[in-house]
Amino acid sequence: MPRSSILDPNKSYTFRSYFEMSHEPDEILAEFDCALERTTFRFPDFESRTVDSYKSGMDFYNSVASLKADMERRLPFVSLTSDAARREILIAPIMLSLIDYTQAQLRIEYYVNVSDRLKGSLDYYIKTPKDLLVIEAKNADLERGFTQMAVELIALDQWIDSAEPVLYGAVSTGDVWQFGRFFRAERRIEQDLTLYRVPADIKELFQALMDILTGQV
């Protein structure tokens, strides 16, 4: 017996709609003929990279250490009970540091309209030959945030003019980050089982983000 659709054909959906659904992530992704797989991503070791791997003339390691120190110094004085606070204090500084190194175009609240089922604003979209999507998980709900991010990757697949076989995304509650990737030909979303905590794991997180944007993965 065919599986019944969980989406109403007469209804319009935004990306946020998928965050608010109570259905399982694999059921939502199946609506777009995509499978979900949970696995562990393997990024190159941080110590194996040099400054020249990214941008000549900048002290990569000291800059990441400075970013971590800045966060640790400010966090005791900031309440992170709201989405806005987590975004401004924990997510935005990392995004701005990324464009310092990549000189890439950063789109904030970038609107995408693929269809009545795939439309809405991408929180952060860094445009390079290896595009990167980053979204904030509202209400600090990482699992539902991942589902929303996965749907946004599916939309991005149809929106951009790129031959890259894999699209990468990350979802963040501010203090916790998780990666996902979309294998476009296979219609498969992979969810990284590794969680990166900020500021504790910022070195490894920033390394992974840079490796995605510079094509090292």
Side-chain angles (χ1 to χ4, degrees):
M1 183 175 179
R3 180 183 62 85
S4 60
S5 175
I6 62 177
L7 300 182
D8 185 341
N10 299 314
K11 185 178 177 180
S12 180
Y13 295 87
T14 66
F15 297 138
R16 180 63 184 267
S17 302
Y18 301 101
F19 176 90
E20 295 170 347
M21 288 181 179
S22 58
H23 297 83
E24 292 295 320
D26 61 317
E27 295 175 337
I28 295 174
L29 297 182
E31 293 292 311
F32 302 98
D33 297 319
C34 289
L36 175 64
E37 180 180 334
R38 296 180 175 91
T39 185
T40 300
F41 294 5
R42 301 296 181 187
F43 292 105
D45 292 337
F46 186 90
E47 286 74 14
S48 69
R49 295 291 181 237
T50 65
V51 175
D52 290 337
S53 298
Y54 302 122
K55 185 178 178 185
S56 177
M58 298 187 73
D59 191 335
F60 181 80
Y61 301 105
N62 286 344
S63 294
V64 173
S66 178
L67 180 61
K68 180 179 180 181
D70 287 344
M71 286 185 176
E72 290 175 336
R73 184 180 68 255
R74 294 165 183 158
L75 281 174
F77 307 102
V78 180
S79 172
L80 298 177
T81 56
S82 71
D83 290 338
R86 290 189 292 271
R87 181 174 61 249
E88 296 298 324
I89 300 300
L90 295 174
I91 300 176
I94 293 174
M95 301 306 297
L96 294 175
S97 293
L98 282 176
I99 62 173
D100 283 342
Y101 279 94
T102 62
Q103 301 293 290
Q105 292 293 316
L106 173 62
R107 311 278 197 257
I108 300 175
E109 295 294 322
Y110 180 64
Y111 187 73
V112 169
N113 188 349
V114 173
S115 68
D116 282 343
R117 292 185 173 188
L118 293 171
K119 61 182 179 180
S121 295
L122 312 180
D123 290 344
Y124 300 96
Y125 172 48
I126 298 184
K127 188 169 181 56
T128 72
K130 296 279 188 178
D131 295 350
L132 174 65
L133 165 69
V134 176
I135 80 158
E136 176 200 355
K138 304 300 185 286
N139 305 322
D141 191 327
L142 194 69
E143 190 64 25
R144 290 194 177 195
F146 184 89
T147 300
Q148 178 181 336
M149 186 266 291
V151 172
E152 292 182 14
L153 285 176
I154 293 170
L156 203 58
D157 168 58
Q158 300 179 50
W159 184 258
I160 63 175
D161 182 16
S162 168
E164 286 297 324
V166 183
L167 298 178
Y168 278 87
V171 57
S172 174
T173 61
D175 55 351
V176 179
W177 288 61
Q178 184 179 47
F179 287 101
R181 57 190 175 194
F182 179 37
F183 289 83
R184 303 168 77 180
E186 297 94 330
R187 306 291 295 174
R188 184 177 81 253
I189 296 284
E190 288 191 349
Q191 182 177 17
D192 190 6
L193 294 175
T194 301
L195 301 180
Y196 297 84
R197 304 193 178 276
V198 173
D201 302 326
I202 197 167
K203 181 177 73 170
E204 293 79 8
L205 170 64
F206 203 83
Q207 169 71 51
L209 291 166
M210 287 296 300
D211 279 341
I212 292 169
L213 289 172
T214 57
Q216 313 249 6
V217 292

